[in-house]
Amino acid sequence: MSTTSDKAAQHTRSLETLTNDDVGQVGGKNASLGEMIKNLKAQGVRVPGGFATTSDAYWAFIEANELESPIREELARWDEGEQSLADAGEVIRKLIRSGEFPEEIAADIREAYADLSRDYDAEEVDVAVRSSATAEDLPEASFAGQQETYLNIRGADDVLEACRKCYASLFTDRAISYRANHGFNHMEVALSAGVQKMVRADKAGVLFTIDTETGFPDVAVIDAGWGLGEPVVKGSITPDQYMVYKPLLEDEALTPIIGKQRGTQQEKMVFTNDASAPTRTVPTTDEEQAAFVLTDEETLQLARWGSLIEAHYDRPMDIEWARDGESEKLFIVQARPETVQSRVGENTIKSYQLKASAEPLVTGLSIGQSIATGRTSVIESVDNIDTFEEGRILVTSMTDPDWGPIMKKAGGIVTDHGGRTSHAAIVSRELGIPAVVGAGNAMEVLPDDQEVTISCAEGDEGYVYDGALEFEVHEADLEDLPSVATRIMLNIASPAGALRWWRLPVRGVGLARIEYIVNNIIQIHPMALVRFDDLEDATARDEIERLTQGFDDKREYFVDRMARGIATIAASQYPDPVIVRTSDFKTNEYADLIGGEAFEPAEDNPMLGWRGASRYYHTEYRAGFALECAAIRRAREAMGFTNIVVMIPFCRTPEEADKVLSVMADEGLVRGENDLEVYVMAELPSNIVQAEDFAERFDGFSIGSNDLTQLVLGIDRDAERLAHLFDEQQASVKQMITDVIERAHAADRPVGLCGQAPSDYPDFAAFLVEAGIDSISVTPDSVVDVIQAVAEAEANKTT
């Protein structure tokens, strides 16, 4: 950008001359923009050019218009209870908007704007004018959203007017309240207006370089909407969401996009040619609603930029981005430190668990990981917030900073609109309360004054249940846990749940159940996708059409959703091994999937029927298993998660193993190639009796103690009258476990166990250690107890 004169530099600064050392002069937002232009431009990060007015210009404006005393008087009257916050704020803002820029400052701003216009070969360049408070965006104080931004401004007169409006927005009701609550002196905070080349956005959104829900540091989370970014930030739409695994971004041959979810975007904000109303909201097109906002290339580029910005600042970052619809280039328009998850301690983990089950009244995105109960307070407009009672569950369409006074009194929040980076989501995290956002119909379904339970402890979906359900809270201290030689691993089903437990001192996932992904995310029987044209059930066909919207090939819907789910679980423990068990639904469970009844036989005892390995090579299911293989291959090869180990369940004979391995090889999963290991579940007596034969075909064993107990004792796991006899600690079951460990070790094969017994019985964990088990995989809430039991057993074993 052209260099402004020395005189102009007293009141304006080119962004490219700024660094983070200039926060006191131009505020955190503008200083950060300059920091990125100066240090990251050479690495390809694009930031629009511009200039910032200085704090000196602000104080000169206040002094020239003799505003200090009246501002102090209005604030004192509010503080002493003589007038309302709304009245005080309105008076102050009107005073500032009525002020005039001193001639020298006005000339400096006009000159800086003229220089910027020349830089972009324009007579009058279009700009965004953003407020940047001098105490803004510090890691310990989140001032985001307290002041205003004005978009699509053109011409020096309009720029001056926008700067004046920015000054006034230093005294919005929410900004005054926020400073008062956080101990900032109102008259020691100045306002800098950042005047930045407008990005003519046809796509925009927010990027976090940390998982905003779990604090998992290795992912970038991107929210994206059509048009300008304002609706994404304010939460008036439910945007697309993308999640990228950052450590694998260095290999440009990989596409580690582990999450990709289309939002419900009925509207977007666009520019106009009307100076008095420079933006307006319009409906999105049918094509936009059916498509993802970002291409994979754009998603990866934003994630790479986020990683560069995070590395430069050496902390997790909250970044706003936009794509220029004319040049089709992406730009970073703001960056500030993330202020919630980056401050969470790592030594303790608190988990919540519902003790009762119920059908949810409302479902949306879960924010936070806690549970709360309370009575609803349905409020349609911020004008009615005075009716809100402390501790209630706030139910509304969306929130913005004006809702702050009641949000901090809420026990939980439910909104119809918004995504994980919306205002409601950000504030609920800061307050440590659960929120369900993007519910869609909460205001319609939930009546006022109804007692409900809001649960965000069940993965990436949040639920609102009728009544006050019982729940438990567990807190685990990780700091003093002993180290153990036995590998402790996790049993995981939900991809979103996998990221919740990244702080646990485990070394991989011993059992990733893909049934959860099929049942809860995909929902459709694989063969109903393979043979959709043969499906006669009209209801199932309609539902499949709805779910697979946007996928030209319905099989790709399965592969895409499965691959990303598996990759998310693999990312949570990378590079430690993640053992993915291929599907082990029973026929009755498969039949319950959409379109499933047409492809499943009726069996008297599905527990001992057509399940596990026997399905994979069968002509009636092989094409369905091929979809699983394609998903695993994509997660391993295209995304880069070579820590994925495949495990085959319920493999009855060595000959059956040969058939399954042959099918896998035909589908591109060749044992030994690309470091692929294949394990077998040791859950049938035949797996133990013929362990040497299975060891020739597989790289390891994982004991499924539930099925093994069922088949050794001859007890159906579902037989209620025989439940008292079902005991994994029976001597016969233990003998089987001891035998398979000895035989597998003799064949140089590792053995793990992924059953529930070590979690329930410390003595059983001690038995496994004594028997020489290599790994024990347990549920997350059992890790602390099992580690302690294993440590004691290992100590006893060596004495």
Side-chain angles (χ1 to χ4, degrees):
M1 178 178 168
S2 305
T3 303
T4 56
S5 68
D6 290 341
K7 186 172 96 171
Q10 297 174 13
H11 301 303
T12 65
R13 292 279 303 274
S14 168
L15 291 181
E16 64 188 20
T17 69
L18 300 174
T19 70
N20 282 335
D21 294 333
D22 295 307
V23 170
Q25 192 174 24
V26 297
K29 189 179 298 178
N30 290 330
S32 180
L33 289 170
E35 181 79 13
M36 288 189 292
I37 293 172
K38 182 182 289 290
N39 295 283
L40 298 176
K41 182 178 180 180
Q43 298 181 61
V45 178
R46 283 191 290 270
V47 179
F51 66 92
T53 64
T54 64
S55 57
D56 290 339
Y58 171 80
W59 292 123
F61 177 92
I62 295 297
E63 181 179 358
N65 290 281
E66 299 181 345
L67 294 175
E68 181 176 354
S69 291
I71 289 174
R72 288 185 181 276
E73 289 172 7
E74 293 299 324
L75 291 172
R77 291 181 61 204
W78 165 64
D79 191 47
E80 293 167 4
E82 296 179 7
Q83 68 173 337
S84 69
L85 172 60
D87 289 341
E90 184 176 358
V91 170
I92 294 171
R93 292 192 298 275
K94 186 175 181 180
L95 286 170
I96 294 174
R97 287 196 299 267
S98 299
E100 294 291 338
F101 278 101
E103 183 177 338
E104 180 182 7
I105 297 176
D108 291 346
I109 294 174
R110 290 178 183 276
E111 183 176 350
Y113 176 70
D115 287 343
L116 182 62
S117 296
R118 282 191 290 272
D119 286 343
Y120 285 94
D121 298 321
E123 183 177 344
E124 292 183 325
V125 67
D126 51 336
V127 295
V129 184
R130 293 185 169 91
S131 305
S132 181
T134 57
E136 185 182 27
D137 296 335
L138 302 179
E140 66 274 10
S142 176
F143 270 55
Q146 299 305 314
Q147 283 82 45
E148 299 295 343
T149 293
Y150 300 93
L151 303 177
N152 199 23
I153 304 300
R154 190 187 299 270
D157 290 343
D158 287 346
V159 168
L160 284 168
E161 178 62 20
C163 290
R164 187 164 30 235
K165 289 179 179 178
C166 284
Y167 285 179
S169 76
L170 188 60
F171 292 93
T172 60
D173 298 352
R174 57 184 181 264
I176 296 171
S177 176
Y178 194 92
R179 286 194 297 272
N181 291 336
H182 290 79
F184 288 90
N185 187 319
H186 299 288
M187 301 311 295
E188 291 181 3
V189 178
L191 199 290
S192 165
V195 181
Q196 190 178 24
K197 170 66 176 76
M198 189 72 224
V199 178
R200 310 294 296 183
D202 63 349
K203 312 176 178 184
V206 180
L207 158 66
F208 280 89
T209 63
I210 189 173
D211 182 22
T212 52
E213 296 314 305
T214 67
F216 184 56
D218 289 338
V219 293
V221 179
I222 304 168
D223 276 8
W226 297 108
L228 300 174
E230 196 87 352
V232 176
V233 175
K234 286 192 171 182
S236 60
I237 63 166
T238 301
D240 286 4
Q241 184 171 90
Y242 308 80
M243 184 176 287
V244 182
Y245 187 66
K246 295 183 296 185
L248 294 178
L249 281 170
E250 294 181 6
D251 188 339
E252 295 191 0
L254 301 176
T255 55
I257 303 173
I258 62 175
K260 190 173 178 180
Q261 184 172 349
R262 191 168 54 237
T264 54
Q265 303 183 47
Q266 304 297 322
E267 59 186 29
K268 63 181 179 179
M269 181 180 287
V270 298
F271 296 110
T272 73
N273 294 319
D274 183 355
S276 63
T279 64
R280 65 189 177 100
T281 299
V282 300
T284 49
T285 65
D286 292 341
E287 291 78 10
E288 288 171 331
Q289 291 179 29
F292 283 102
V293 173
L294 292 176
T295 65
D296 285 356
E297 181 181 8
E298 290 169 336
T299 303
L300 294 172
Q301 182 173 8
L302 286 171
R304 290 191 177 100
W305 283 359
S307 295
L308 289 171
I309 295 169
E310 179 181 53
H312 177 73
Y313 282 85
D314 194 27
R315 66 187 61 174
M317 298 295 289
D318 170 0
I319 300 162
E320 291 184 27
W321 61 270
R323 193 189 86 145
D324 190 286
E326 297 174 354
S327 67
E328 297 187 352
K329 291 181 178 180
L330 292 166
F331 291 87
I332 300 299
V333 295
Q334 286 191 45
R336 62 178 73 88
E338 193 274 341
T339 58
V340 179
Q341 289 293 349
S342 56
R343 301 204 307 265
V344 174
E346 298 185 7
N347 294 328
T348 60
I349 288 183
K350 184 179 288 188
S351 62
Y352 292 72
Q353 183 176 14
L354 279 176
K355 301 300 291 180
S357 60
E359 285 295 316
L361 301 172
V362 166
T363 301
L365 297 174
S366 66
I367 305 300
Q369 300 174 33
S370 60
I371 299 173
T373 61
R375 305 196 77 85
T376 58
S377 184
V378 181
I379 300 181
E380 295 185 4
S381 167
V382 71
D383 297 333
N384 304 121
I385 63 175
D386 291 341
T387 64
F388 189 81
E389 298 177 15
E390 187 164 358
R392 290 213 167 205
I393 307 299
L394 171 63
V395 181
T396 190
S397 176
M398 55 170 280
T399 68
D400 60 31
D402 291 326
W403 290 77
I406 67 168
M407 294 175 77
K408 64 185 180 182
K409 298 193 297 183
I413 298 170
V414 184
T415 67
D416 277 344
H417 304 292
R420 296 193 187 280
T421 56
S422 63
H423 178 266
I426 292 171
V427 172
S428 66
R429 289 188 202 101
E430 290 182 347
L431 296 174
I433 60 175
V436 174
V437 302
N441 61 347
M443 294 191 70
E444 177 184 343
V445 172
L446 300 177
D448 192 58
D449 201 34
Q450 177 179 2
E451 189 167 47
V452 297
T453 298
I454 176 171
S455 173
C456 294
E458 301 171 66
D460 55 354
E461 284 195 309
Y463 303 96
V464 180
Y465 299 103
D466 185 21
L469 303 184
E470 184 182 356
F471 64 91
E472 288 182 347
V473 184
H474 302 276
E475 188 164 354
D477 190 343
L478 308 179
E479 191 169 5
D480 298 326
L481 284 179
S483 59
V484 293
T486 306
R487 182 186 285 269
I488 306 301
M489 307 174 80
L490 290 179
N491 293 338
I492 290 290
S494 163
L499 298 185
R500 291 180 58 195
W501 304 108
W502 67 274
R503 289 189 176 93
L504 287 175
V506 297
R507 292 184 287 160
V509 171
L511 176 61
R513 301 183 181 93
I514 69 170
E515 291 83 14
Y516 179 93
I517 300 173
V518 176
N519 203 34
N520 294 277
I521 299 174
I522 296 171
Q523 303 179 46
I524 304 169
H525 193 288
M527 294 305 297
L529 295 167
V530 173
R531 294 168 52 187
F532 178 75
D533 291 341
D534 298 335
L535 194 61
E536 297 179 356
D537 185 335
T539 301
R541 288 178 66 90
D542 289 345
E543 187 67 3
I544 292 171
E545 291 282 16
R546 184 186 68 82
L547 288 171
T548 60
Q549 184 182 18
F551 290 89
D552 294 333
D553 185 340
K554 290 179 169 47
R555 293 171 298 184
E556 173 60 19
Y557 167 80
F558 184 101
V559 175
D560 179 82
R561 297 297 180 91
M562 177 66 73
R564 297 191 201 281
I566 291 171
T568 300
I569 298 174
S572 72
Q573 294 293 320
Y574 187 86
D576 284 325
V578 170
I579 301 173
V580 176
R581 186 182 70 187
T582 49
S583 61
D584 192 26
F585 279 128
K586 288 70 177 175
T587 50
N588 58 321
E589 295 168 332
Y590 267 118
D592 286 339
L593 295 171
I594 297 170
E597 288 186 0
F599 302 98
E600 296 298 327
E603 294 183 318
D604 291 334
N605 190 349
M607 192 69 73
L608 299 180
W610 191 37
R611 58 177 287 202
S614 62
R615 298 181 68 95
Y616 305 155
Y617 56 87
H618 196 285
T619 55
E620 293 298 314
Y621 190 75
R622 188 196 182 289
F625 181 61
L627 300 184
E628 295 183 35
C629 291
I632 293 170
R633 186 178 180 187
R634 183 175 298 179
R636 282 180 52 83
E637 298 177 13
M639 298 185 188
F641 294 100
T642 52
N643 61 324
I644 293 173
V645 177
V646 179
M647 183 160 66
I648 305 301
F650 230 75
C651 187
R652 292 173 168 95
T653 67
E655 292 76 19
E656 188 165 64
D658 292 334
K659 292 179 181 179
V660 171
L661 291 170
S662 176
V663 171
M664 288 177 60
D666 289 344
E667 300 301 329
L669 291 176
V670 180
R671 179 185 165 216
E673 286 189 7
N674 197 24
D675 298 323
L676 175 62
E677 292 187 337
V678 184
Y679 281 28
V680 65
M681 290 286 290
E683 55 191 344
L684 301 158
S686 60
N687 300 142
I688 285 82
V689 174
Q690 293 182 270
E692 292 81 4
D693 293 326
F694 283 99
E696 291 178 4
R697 293 161 171 83
F698 294 102
D699 299 292
F701 294 79
S702 182
I703 301 167
S705 56
N706 286 338
D707 268 320
L708 184 61
T709 302
Q710 169 180 247
L711 295 169
V712 169
L713 298 182
I715 299 173
D716 189 323
R717 287 163 50 183
D718 295 335
E720 294 183 9
R721 294 182 180 180
L722 300 178
H724 64 288
L725 296 174
F726 192 93
D727 184 2
E728 292 160 298
Q729 299 195 88
Q730 278 291 324
S732 55
V733 179
K734 285 186 172 182
Q735 185 60 54
M736 286 292 221
I737 293 172
T738 300
D739 287 351
V740 75
I741 293 173
E742 290 178 354
R743 292 181 176 209
H745 284 176
D748 198 26
R749 294 289 185 261
V751 184
L753 183 137
C754 55
Q756 185 63 26
S759 305
D760 295 338
Y761 311 111
D763 290 348
F764 195 83
F767 153 70
L768 292 173
V769 171
E770 184 65 31
I773 199 82
D774 296 291
S775 64
I776 300 174
S777 186
V778 297
T779 55
D781 58 349
S782 304
V783 166
V784 171
D785 292 339
V786 169
I787 287 178
Q788 292 169 338
V790 168
E792 183 178 346
E794 289 180 350
N796 293 336
K797 187 176 180 180
T798 58
T799 57

